Amino acid sequence: MVSGLINANPTVYERKERRVRSAPADADEYAVEHIDAQEIFDILCCGSRIPYVFIICFLSMTWVLKTTVHAFLSVISITISNHVRDIKDPEHPYSLEELKVVTEDAIDVDDEQSHVRVTFTPTVEHCSMATVIGLCIRVKLMRSLPSRYKVDIRLAPGSHATEAAVNKQLNDKERIAAALENPNLLDMVDDCLAPTFA
Amino acid sequence: MAKPSTWIPHVETFVDASRPSNQQAASLEAIAALVKKDLLTMEAVVREMEMYLTTTDHALRARGILLLAELLTRLVSKPLDSATIHSLTGFFTSRLADWQALHGALVGCLALLRRSTNVGMVTVTDARMLMKSYLENLQVQSLALHDRKMCFELLECLLEHYADAVAPLGDDLVYGICEAIDEEKDPQCLLLTFHIVGVLVRVFHDPLGSISSFAGDLFDILSRYFPIYFTHPKNDDIDVKKDDLSRALMHAFASTPLFEPFVIPLLLDKLSSSLLSAKLDSLKYLSYCTLHYGADRIAKHAKAIWSSLKEAICTFSPQDTSFLLAFESPEDMRSQENEVAAEALVCLERILVQLDSSSGYSFINFIVEDEDIEMIFRSVTGVLGYKDLTAEGKQKLHALGNILFVSARVSSSSCNKVFQRFFTRLIEILGISSRNFSVDSILNDSYVFPEGLNFGALYLCINLLVACRDLTVGFKETKPYYPQVEDFWCCLLQNFSGPLADFLGSTLIACGSHDTEKDYFYSGVKGLQTLATFPGSSMPISKAICEKVLTMFVSIITGRCEEELLWKLALKALIQIGTFIESSYDTEKRTSYMNIIVGETFSLLSLDDSGMPLPLKLEALNGIGSTGLDYMMRLIQGLEEAISANFVKASVEGNVKSVEILIYLLKFYSGQVLPWLKKTVGFEEVALRFAVNIWDQLESSKALNIGIQGQGLLDAIMTAMRLAVGDCTEESQALIVQKAYCVLSSMTFFPLKESVPLAPIKLENLKLIQNIVSLSSRDEWLISLFSSVLTALHPPTPIPEVREILKLLTIFVLKGYVPAAQALGSIINKCPLKINTIETSSVCTLEEALDIIQKTGLYSVLSKDPLSNGTDGSSQNLSNLFCVTSSKSLFQIHAIVGLAWIGKGLVMRGHEKVTEIAMLILKCLLSSSSKEIMPLQQNALENGNGPDIDPSVVRSAADAFHILLSDSEVCLNKKFHAAIRPLYKQHFFSSMIPILLSSIKDTESSVARASLYQAFGHLISDAPLAAIVTEAKKLLPPLMNAISILSLDNLNKDLTYSLLLVLSGILMDENGKEAVTENAHSIITNLLTLTSYPLMMVVRETAIQCLVAMTGLPYTRIYPMRTQVLQAMTKALDDRKRSVRQEAIRCRQAWASIASRSLHF
């Protein structure tokens, strides 16, 4: 298997200054703080600087993708993890935020209706890792939001070559469930997400 | 002498490389100990080890030599005879050639060279031989890191301590050193090499000697490291930092003037590099080298240096910052980029000092004759207002201002030059000479602010003023300069200071409150302040001008408080002027300051209806007062007058406004004035006067007529009183107490003389109670204030009629005066166990005091059957009457509070009587059970004065434990001289816990158990964590029960939270782990309930955090709970508070990941 980097030098953006929530001094014990876009964004992009370093490592690899995502991932995840160890370079712990894959503006939340929609932008339009990123985002939200929420994950319009297919795949309950049944795949997602819970 | 057979095995152990390292170290120590005790000589060691030292097996020989060397390292302070040293030195010197066993040889040489004279040193010839051998045999750069470091240390040691020995080696030595240090890369070694170069140059100080021919080569080696670029990760064990390296290299650079032809061009070259750190380093090196190379050598490069510095200052001066920063302190503008400019200015100053006219050079000419400077000057003074300046223009102005500032302040001669060139022109541009200003005329006429006031010129002018001031006062390490009449700048200043002051004053007055003109404010205030802080009173600035400036500031302070910025600036300037005058011991100026400022401003205090709000007034007064003791004394005098005046108004007329003012004044007094005095001098006198004054006031006012705000005022007075009394000496305290007692005895109700409880006549007592129930507000004040005096006393201070006072206080405790209870606690805490003096009216023992309190009836209110107490002489004591006349439970609550404070006094001094009180309180807790169990009997008893314990009484009994163990701000602490036994909390805690736990076990009623748990909760949350953790096994189960029971009651939410904190403390502690593991199930169940605790967000949050901590326990203990926790967390994810949700995410993940899969999506 030959590997080279599709996007060896991704543009790295500066991390936006985090809006600090001002905690009111006379906070009302019973006031309700609704879940908002910033909170979701924090769920996705907070934690240490290392979050998603794994995904980004996947991101910048090229693979000839012919099979379904499901099959493809189960085949390659073992080989990937070896590569990951080599690539893991503490000098470049880019997070999704620094690559502008996810921005706060791209998150729509409706706490009343229990609905959230995350729109993300892969760094290059033939990026083969879009589904993996999407899956990770979905799993992270499923674990961090109340169960009443419906989560919608989408690619930004025009950001990916096979946008429609990926969108369909990411929002198909059955296929997500199937993907998470796969032990290798689940391990990989867990690995990706582990640092974000720190 | 030790027999060889006893220590040879040690040698064998050490030499054998297969033995573990700790054994080897131990055997080494053993041999060293033998030699130290003179049981073994070095000679004997060497003789016995001969085989190991000379064998052809490299490994064995290396170990043998190392053993000998390490032995020597440990014997550095042990005297050895010269023959031994000589032979050992010879041996190690020859071993330097043995590369297979080099390490040992290096260690040995180093150990020998580090010996000091009194224990036998290496001789000069031996050292020279060693050096020769070193030069011949060692290829330093081919060695490993550790050996290389040792080589450098050896070299350093030789050069430093054996300079005479190695100097004759001349060129060979220098060449050898060059070779050794060339291409070194390790930071630690580099530090050594840089130092070696410095020492080497010192050894060959003859400028014509071998060093001069090698200077180029040496510098060639050094220059490669400049500028130091060092990005080593911090987590390494090497603790060398970039700054250390940089400093070491700088010292090496500056070590000899011979480097000058190489250094200066290099530095100037690097100064033009684009790397900021390189620029900074070059500037630092340049100023350091300037100091060490001497004027003659620097002068050669003067022109080049000036143009580089000029460029650095002009390009890196702050561009956008307001001039606010620049005026704060011109020398330190510490932002990343501006540091370059700041460093360049420092460098410029150094060079100016070096190349002063006194040394025959005049660097200043470069500056004043520079065309760029001239151009900048024209351009910045060509623009009118501040807002017309472009960003670039501001930067230029800033740079020019700083350059002129630095050059004017280094010496009088350069100041002259700068003034000749620029000052007159500035004055002209500002139009000062032509117009004749006078503040009065401006105030009267509608003087229009000059639209075209030239900001650039104003700024430069003020910078020059500040420079002159610095020159005359002396800055940093330079000495103050006494201005002469013939100094040109001095004459100019003298002529123009008057108009200048008028001009600046008019700028301030005319500016109005436009926000855009705040830079003029800064300039004006700064300029005036500078004028007022010239030393002396005639040259160059006269006293009249100083006074004029002060008057201007005062008029701003008194009249323009609505312009916040200007007011603040003026106040700050005044404070700084005050501090300056205080520190300069200038009596003339001090008088004028006192007259103008202090006199004017302090009159503010007495004026009620000036437009200035009180807090502003006090801020101004405090600022000015704190500059000197004299001023503060005046301030205090004014303050005291104001306090008494307002007190009269408040108490007699019931003036609400006066009460407010009074509260302010008192808070100011206790918060600012007293602490300031405590730091300086004169506290005693002032505090005494204050306290006595207050009592005088109370004495003279026969009736207090203060409305709702009375309580706030009383609190303020009590706080001030406590603080004032607390820090007095015993003598003054005695005076205050005496005074207070006198006033107290004038109370309308004063039962002391009648000695009430001891003469049990029912009628009289009844009267007494009625009196006490309807107490006038003045009496309330008196008793509260008196209590606050008592709480702050030193232990030996005598209290007049102490027994009577104890009785009185006890009565007031029953009436519900907490200060009285605190005073009782303090007295109990401080009174002696035995009395030595004969005079006993003012002292009483602890026993006696407790006895009095008991007899007065504090205890008996709580006992189940008060009548049974009354069989003895004092049968009808007070408490019974209380029961009759008023609600009994109220008295009981008061009694419990009183007992708690007394108990606190006892606990803190570690007296065993506290158990008696604790048991009494405990009895109250337990008595609530009887009510529930036997309702019938209860009814019967109620009729017959039986135990009738109200729930609120039980509650206050539980809270009493909180009083007992918590720290109080108000009394019984270190500040108020309480006797505190070390570890008293632990002691009480461990004695009470078994009793509490057993009574919890025995109690059957749920109500009683709840209150017992409440007491337990207070006890455990106030006790130190260390004491709890050691008992964790025993305490955890009741703790969990307490949490689960207390969390049901809304009133206990704070207590629940503090118990949860105790639990989390146990969880986080290593020693508590075992107990936690045992109780894991119940802890988790409890925590799960708390995750939905509705009353407090922090409780939920902390509970979830505790759950996260629980995942650290053994898997088998927590796994069974996993499903439950995950379910609870799913609910917590939807909590109404964000921080709880965030914790829940973390907790859910932690618990989900203890077993893989099945997260229940």
Side-chain angles (χ1 to χ4, degrees):
Chain A
M1 214 179 271
V2 183
S3 73
L5 302 177
I6 340 172
N7 195 3
N9 284 317
T11 324
V12 180
Y13 300 87
E14 276 205 23
R15 287 158 79 91
K16 214 164 73 179
E17 189 108 340
R18 193 55 52 81
R19 269 195 289 139
V20 183
R21 281 182 200 277
S22 54
D26 52 339
D28 180 6
E29 189 62 53
Y30 301 100
V32 180
E33 292 167 355
H34 287 290
I35 297 178
D36 58 13
Q38 194 194 344
E39 187 171 341
I40 306 262
F41 185 67
D42 286 346
I43 289 174
L44 289 175
C45 296
C46 232
S48 63
R49 269 175 69 86
I50 316 201
Y52 297 97
V53 65
F54 293 97
I55 307 184
I56 300 314
C57 297
F58 298 142
L59 223 172
S60 47
M61 277 181 226
T62 182
W63 301 96
V64 185
L65 176 64
K66 292 285 178 206
T67 49
T68 63
V69 171
H70 186 152
F72 136 67
L73 283 171
S74 59
V75 174
I76 61 160
S77 57
I78 304 148
T79 47
I80 281 175
S81 53
N82 291 330
H83 281 278
V84 165
R85 236 162 261 139
D86 301 335
I87 298 167
K88 194 182 164 197
D89 178 1
E91 289 281 342
H92 304 287
Y94 301 132
S95 70
L96 283 192
E97 183 186 0
E98 282 167 309
L99 295 168
K100 281 207 177 160
V101 174
V102 178
T103 59
E104 197 179 324
D105 305 330
I107 299 171
D108 292 317
V109 200
D110 188 343
D111 198 32
E112 310 265 294
Q113 304 286 324
S114 304
H115 178 259
V116 60
R117 180 211 296 267
V118 178
T119 313
F120 70 99
T121 321
T123 50
V124 279
E125 60 173 32
H126 49 282
C127 175
S128 53
M129 285 298 120
T131 43
V132 187
I133 298 175
L135 185 64
C136 284
I137 294 177
R138 175 171 285 279
V139 171
K140 172 88 191 181
L141 289 183
M142 277 197 306
R143 290 180 188 176
S144 311
L145 289 178
S147 50
R148 63 189 160 90
Y149 265 85
K150 180 182 181 335
V151 180
D152 233 353
I153 311 277
R154 290 191 185 282
L155 282 168
S159 68
H160 199 270
T162 54
E163 189 186 324
V166 174
N167 275 343
K168 196 165 181 205
Q169 192 174 10
L170 283 177
N171 293 303
D172 187 331
K173 217 163 49 175
E174 297 292 324
R175 288 164 87 172
I176 295 289
L180 295 179
E181 293 276 309
N182 180 329
N184 291 329
L185 193 49
L186 186 62
D187 274 347
M188 190 184 70
V189 171
D190 276 342
D191 276 350
C192 287
L193 295 180
T196 70
F197 285 105
Chain B
M1 279 295 145
K3 282 185 188 149
S5 56
T6 55
W7 56 271
I8 287 292
H10 289 309
V11 176
E12 280 160 4
T13 316
F14 189 87
V15 170
D16 186 355
S18 60
R19 298 294 185 90
S21 58
N22 56 346
Q23 270 185 27
Q24 292 179 343
S27 48
L28 174 63
E29 293 301 337
I31 303 174
L34 283 178
V35 180
K36 266 184 205 160
K37 285 183 209 149
D38 284 328
L39 293 173
L40 193 61
T41 58
M42 280 312 282
E43 248 184 297
V45 176
V46 175
R47 224 177 301 126
E48 290 293 332
M49 283 182 61
E50 188 187 358
M51 195 269 286
Y52 294 115
L53 298 177
T54 53
T55 172
T56 47
D57 181 344
H58 299 318
L60 211 53
R61 192 175 67 238
R63 291 298 295 177
I65 294 174
L66 185 62
L67 173 58
L68 197 58
E70 291 283 357
L71 211 50
L72 280 175
T73 319
R74 276 160 186 68
L75 298 175
V76 166
S77 51
K78 157 110 187 150
L80 292 176
D81 58 89
S82 56
T84 313
I85 292 180
H86 174 71
S87 57
L88 282 171
T89 316
F91 171 71
F92 282 116
T93 307
S94 64
R95 283 298 96 190
L96 284 178
D98 178 4
W99 65 267
Q100 286 98 339
L102 187 62
H103 183 67
L106 286 173
V107 175
C109 289
L110 209 52
L112 283 169
L113 288 177
R114 280 185 179 156
R115 298 179 70 83
S116 53
T117 25
N118 52 348
V119 291
M121 267 178 94
V122 179
T123 59
V124 172
T125 22
D126 285 344
R128 191 172 304 147
M129 290 305 293
L130 180 63
M131 189 73 240
K132 268 188 190 157
S133 165
Y134 181 107
L135 293 176
E136 276 165 24
N137 297 315
L138 290 183
Q139 295 290 323
V140 178
Q141 283 307 317
S142 60
L143 297 176
L145 170 64
H146 195 63
D147 286 343
R148 219 158 62 223
K149 195 175 156 209
M150 211 103 76
C151 284
F152 288 130
E153 278 171 13
L154 196 60
L155 206 52
E156 191 187 17
C157 197
L158 274 169
L159 285 170
E160 273 194 337
H161 302 298
Y162 298 90
D164 298 339
V166 296
L169 294 176
D171 289 359
D172 286 345
L173 177 63
V174 181
Y175 179 75
I177 288 176
C178 285
E179 196 183 31
I181 63 178
D182 197 11
E183 301 278 319
E184 179 55 57
K185 286 196 183 65
D186 178 71
Q188 278 173 318
C189 293
L190 273 177
L191 276 183
L192 286 171
T193 40
F194 294 156
H195 188 222
I196 286 171
V197 173
V199 183
L200 178 70
V201 173
R202 234 181 294 141
V203 172
F204 295 96
H205 41 72
D206 180 15
L208 300 172
S210 46
I211 197 77
S212 55
S213 50
F214 278 103
D217 293 338
L218 260 180
F219 186 74
D220 192 36
I221 296 167
L222 285 184
S223 65
R224 282 173 226 157
Y225 300 107
F226 182 82
I228 299 274
Y229 184 71
F230 183 57
T231 52
H232 205 73
K234 277 180 200 133
N235 50 9
D236 213 306
D237 49 345
I238 303 170
D239 53 350
V240 180
K241 292 192 190 65
K242 191 212 154 192
D243 285 349
D244 300 334
L245 277 172
S246 183
R247 205 171 313 118
L249 184 62
M250 183 160 82
H251 288 300
F253 268 25
S255 57
T256 169
L258 290 174
F259 283 155
E260 167 267 322
F262 317 105
V263 170
I264 305 287
L266 175 76
L267 292 180
L268 291 179
D269 181 43
K270 294 288 177 194
L271 192 54
S272 56
S273 99
S274 59
L275 208 63
L276 268 187
S277 64
K279 274 185 198 290
L280 264 180
D281 270 356
S282 318
L283 287 167
K284 273 184 198 145
Y285 281 44
L286 197 56
S287 28
Y288 190 74
C289 290
T290 310
L291 279 183
H292 287 79
Y293 289 172
D296 295 331
R297 284 182 178 267
I298 291 296
K300 284 190 246 167
H301 304 276
K303 192 151 181 110
I305 292 176
W306 162 238
S307 62
S308 306
L309 286 181
K310 182 174 64 183
E311 206 203 319
I313 295 171
C314 289
T315 22
F316 288 98
S317 281
Q319 200 163 30
D320 211 26
T321 43
S322 163
F323 283 87
L324 177 160
L325 278 176
F327 277 124
E328 289 285 306
S329 51
E331 299 151 345
D332 89 351
M333 346 164 246
R334 293 284 164 203
S335 84
Q336 183 73 94
E337 275 206 348
N338 302 342
E339 218 169 326
V340 176
E343 204 58 56
L345 284 170
V346 171
C347 187
L348 180 66
E349 195 173 314
R350 285 261 170 88
I351 291 174
L352 275 166
V353 172
Q354 279 280 320
L355 302 184
D356 195 18
S357 55
S358 55
S359 63
Y361 302 96
S362 48
F363 194 80
I364 187 73
N365 285 347
F366 288 119
I367 300 175
V368 289
E369 284 159 18
D370 193 283
E371 282 183 7
D372 290 339
I373 293 289
E374 179 62 31
M375 227 160 65
I376 295 174
F377 183 83
R378 288 220 180 107
S379 77
V380 293
T381 51
V383 185
L384 279 179
Y386 174 72
K387 49 185 178 295
D388 303 328
L389 280 170
T390 56
E392 196 195 355
K394 283 178 198 167
Q395 190 186 22
K396 273 186 187 165
L397 179 58
H398 206 120
L400 181 63
N402 279 325
I403 290 176
L404 292 185
F405 169 73
V406 164
S407 30
R409 81 169 180 176
V410 287
S411 69
S412 175
S413 58
S414 50
C415 190
N416 273 339
K417 289 225 164 99
V418 175
F419 263 64
Q420 268 165 4
R421 178 102 180 137
F422 299 107
F423 190 71
T424 28
R425 285 158 73 191
L426 288 173
I427 293 289
E428 258 167 47
I429 295 169
L430 289 173
I432 291 177
S433 50
S434 58
R435 265 184 260 171
N436 220 346
F437 278 93
S438 147
V439 180
D440 301 330
S441 69
I442 296 160
L443 281 174
N444 297 336
D445 304 340
S446 52
Y447 173 76
V448 187
F449 179 68
E451 268 307 309
L453 175 58
N454 194 314
F455 182 77
L458 183 65
Y459 176 74
L460 291 178
C461 190
I462 286 161
N463 260 332
L464 285 179
L465 268 186
V466 178
C468 289
R469 204 266 322 271
D470 279 1
L471 180 63
T472 48
V473 177
F475 60 99
K476 288 186 202 158
E477 61 270 23
T478 56
K479 288 203 179 69
Y481 175 80
Y482 298 104
Q484 313 292 321
V485 189
E486 59 266 26
D487 280 330
F488 180 71
W489 61 269
C490 205
C491 301
L492 269 186
L493 264 191
Q494 210 169 6
N495 290 340
F496 281 102
S497 56
L500 202 58
D502 287 339
F503 174 77
L504 292 172
S506 71
T507 347
L508 287 188
I509 289 161
C511 259
S513 52
H514 305 294
D515 194 41
T516 48
E517 283 152 359
K518 66 171 192 248
D519 288 285
Y520 291 99
F521 279 164
Y522 285 117
S523 326
V525 171
K526 178 81 179 177
L528 287 176
Q529 187 195 329
T530 314
L531 280 177
T533 48
F534 270 89
S537 48
S538 53
M539 280 291 289
I541 308 291
S542 67
K543 188 182 157 200
I545 288 171
C546 181
E547 282 176 0
K548 191 188 272 179
V549 171
L550 290 180
T551 325
M552 282 179 201
F553 278 135
V554 169
S555 72
I556 292 174
I557 293 287
T558 49
R560 295 175 72 173
C561 60
E562 69 281 356
E563 287 165 50
E564 200 185 337
L565 179 68
L566 180 62
W567 192 87
K568 284 248 160 76
L569 281 174
L571 178 60
K572 211 167 150 196
L574 272 185
I575 293 171
Q576 277 172 4
I577 294 173
T579 325
F580 169 80
I581 292 176
E582 266 307 295
S583 60
S584 67
Y585 304 108
D586 188 335
T587 38
E588 265 187 72
K589 278 202 176 171
R590 194 182 288 188
T591 340
S592 47
Y593 191 78
M594 188 68 137
N595 290 342
I596 297 173
I597 308 290
V598 182
E600 278 284 316
T601 46
F602 288 0
S603 63
L604 283 176
L605 209 52
S606 46
L607 293 175
D608 278 339
D609 41 20
S610 66
M612 220 160 132
L614 190 61
L616 273 188
K617 272 190 209 169
L618 290 180
E619 189 188 337
L621 292 178
N622 183 41
I624 293 165
S626 57
T627 53
L629 187 62
D630 292 349
Y631 314 138
M632 192 50 115
M633 285 305 169
R634 279 284 291 275
L635 164 65
I636 290 167
Q637 198 187 332
L639 206 57
E640 276 165 2
E641 280 161 19
I643 288 178
S644 36
N646 278 305
F647 192 84
V648 171
K649 271 187 210 160
S651 59
V652 178
E653 300 159 23
N655 191 335
V656 181
K657 208 176 153 210
S658 295
V659 175
E660 265 173 43
I661 294 174
L662 204 51
I663 291 178
Y664 245 120
L665 291 177
L666 284 166
K667 278 188 180 154
F668 173 68
Y669 198 85
S670 51
Q672 311 274 337
V673 177
L674 287 179
W676 190 88
L677 280 175
K678 212 156 50 166
K679 271 186 288 175
T680 48
V681 282
F683 178 87
E684 188 76 28
E685 188 193 336
V686 172
L688 177 62
R689 199 169 59 216
F690 172 79
V692 171
N693 272 349
I694 294 276
W695 282 106
D696 277 340
Q697 296 281 343
L698 280 174
E699 192 175 18
S700 58
S701 60
K702 285 298 167 212
L704 279 181
N705 186 18
I706 295 172
I708 318 149
Q709 281 173 311
Q711 194 54 45
L713 182 54
L714 181 58
D715 285 343
I717 296 186
M718 278 167 67
T719 315
M721 181 67 89
R722 262 197 304 270
L723 286 173
V725 175
D727 288 311
C728 278
T729 55
E730 283 155 37
E731 290 79 43
S732 325
Q733 286 187 344
L735 287 176
I736 296 171
V737 176
Q738 194 63 47
K739 171 83 197 170
Y741 180 76
C742 289
V743 180
L744 192 69
S745 33
S746 72
M747 272 170 75
T748 41
F749 159 73
F750 193 71
L752 298 187
K753 301 283 177 297
E754 304 160 28
S755 61
V756 192
L758 301 177
I761 304 163
K762 205 173 175 181
L763 268 175
E764 243 179 67
N765 282 348
L766 261 178
K767 203 175 86 195
L768 175 78
I769 300 307
Q770 269 152 11
N771 275 338
I772 221 175
V773 169
S774 59
L775 206 57
S776 80
S777 72
R778 178 168 177 270
D779 295 342
E780 278 180 36
W781 274 56
L782 285 179
I783 198 74
S784 303
L785 265 183
F786 189 64
S787 307
S788 67
V789 171
L790 289 181
T791 50
L793 293 183
H794 279 288
T797 310
I799 304 169
E801 301 297 329
V802 63
R803 290 172 188 79
E804 307 304 320
I805 284 175
L806 281 173
K807 281 175 211 160
L808 182 72
L809 287 175
T810 316
I811 293 168
F812 277 94
V813 166
L814 286 172
K815 177 82 174 89
Y817 285 93
V818 180
Q822 290 167 345
L824 267 186
S826 295
I827 296 178
I828 292 295
N829 180 261
K830 291 165 193 171
C831 67
L833 291 171
K834 273 186 212 150
I835 307 174
N836 297 327
T837 52
I838 312 145
E839 199 271 312
T840 51
S841 75
S842 62
V843 216
C844 83
T845 59
L846 181 63
E847 289 288 324
E848 205 184 341
L850 285 175
D851 199 42
I852 292 171
I853 293 170
Q854 190 164 16
K855 277 201 184 126
T856 319
L858 192 58
Y859 288 38
S860 53
V861 176
L862 293 175
S863 58
K864 290 197 176 182
D865 190 4
L867 279 177
S868 65
N869 255 13
T871 47
D872 58 353
S874 59
S875 59
Q876 290 296 335
N877 64 36
L878 267 178
S879 53
N880 300 352
L881 293 159
F882 281 124
C883 306
V884 179
T885 48
S886 179
S887 150
K888 185 184 170 191
S889 61
L890 205 60
F891 283 118
Q892 282 175 330
I893 292 175
H894 295 158
I896 286 173
V897 173
L899 279 179
W901 283 104
I902 294 169
K904 186 170 168 56
L906 287 170
V907 167
M908 288 178 82
R909 64 187 292 170
H911 197 272
E912 69 275 9
K913 278 259 167 125
V914 69
T915 31
E916 204 174 294
I917 289 176
M919 293 323 283
L920 208 60
I921 296 173
L922 200 60
K923 219 185 270 172
C924 285
L925 283 174
L926 286 169
S927 57
S928 59
S929 61
S930 56
K931 199 172 173 182
E932 200 185 44
I933 307 164
M934 314 168 280
L936 282 174
Q937 280 171 319
Q938 178 68 25
N939 281 339
L941 280 170
E942 231 165 57
N943 297 332
N945 256 340
D948 167 25
I949 301 287
D950 198 78
S952 59
V953 177
V954 176
R955 195 175 175 79
S956 66
D959 288 339
F961 281 96
H962 181 59
I963 297 177
L964 269 172
L965 269 194
S966 64
D967 297 317
S968 167
E969 270 291 292
V970 181
C971 66
L972 285 172
N973 51 31
K974 224 168 183 176
K975 207 163 51 176
F976 297 125
H977 322 291
I980 303 174
R981 206 176 103 160
L983 297 180
Y984 75 93
K985 282 189 183 177
Q986 273 95 326
H987 192 251
F988 182 68
F989 174 75
S990 49
S991 64
M992 271 321 282
I993 281 293
I995 303 171
L996 257 182
L997 287 183
S998 68
S999 40
I1000 287 175
K1001 216 190 222 167
D1002 298 341
T1003 315
E1004 310 216 327
S1005 102
S1006 62
V1007 181
R1009 197 176 301 141
S1011 48
L1012 280 173
Y1013 271 127
Q1014 202 184 332
F1016 171 79
H1018 281 305
L1019 207 54
I1020 210 170
S1021 59
D1022 290 324
L1025 191 62
I1028 298 170
V1029 171
T1030 47
E1031 299 274 299
K1033 230 176 218 175
K1034 212 166 63 185
L1035 291 179
L1036 261 178
L1039 176 63
M1040 294 331 292
N1041 287 340
I1043 290 181
S1044 67
I1045 289 175
L1046 293 177
S1047 62
L1048 299 177
D1049 190 350
N1050 290 3
L1051 291 174
N1052 288 330
K1053 57 182 181 181
D1054 289 319
L1055 186 56
T1056 312
Y1057 180 53
S1058 41
L1059 283 183
L1060 194 57
L1061 288 181
V1062 172
L1063 176 64
S1064 73
I1066 299 176
L1067 285 180
M1068 299 316 283
D1069 198 289
E1070 233 5 86
N1071 301 325
K1073 276 273 151 57
E1074 200 185 326
V1076 172
T1077 317
E1078 271 175 31
N1079 297 295
H1081 187 272
S1082 71
I1083 293 178
I1084 293 174
T1085 325
N1086 251 313
L1087 287 175
L1088 286 180
T1089 343
L1090 287 183
T1091 55
S1092 52
Y1093 190 72
L1095 299 172
M1096 265 175 111
M1097 189 259 283
V1098 275
V1099 169
R1100 297 197 293 272
E1101 198 181 345
T1102 318
I1104 296 176
Q1105 280 165 347
C1106 287
L1107 278 174
V1108 177
M1110 293 298 283
T1111 54
L1113 295 181
Y1115 183 77
T1116 43
R1117 296 294 304 176
I1118 54 169
Y1119 184 74
M1121 306 300 294
R1122 180 168 174 265
T1123 329
Q1124 285 180 48
V1125 174
L1126 287 179
Q1127 272 164 4
M1129 282 310 108
T1130 315
K1131 257 183 233 139
L1133 280 177
D1134 209 3
D1135 197 274
R1136 60 174 178 265
K1137 290 290 176 189
R1138 189 167 290 119
S1139 50
V1140 179
R1141 292 196 290 262
Q1142 277 163 358
E1143 290 302 327
I1145 293 175
R1146 205 165 297 150
C1147 182
R1148 187 177 190 283
Q1149 175 65 18
W1151 275 85
S1153 57
I1154 62 171
S1156 59
R1157 320 262 171 277
S1158 66
L1159 274 165
H1160 303 287
F1161 289 124

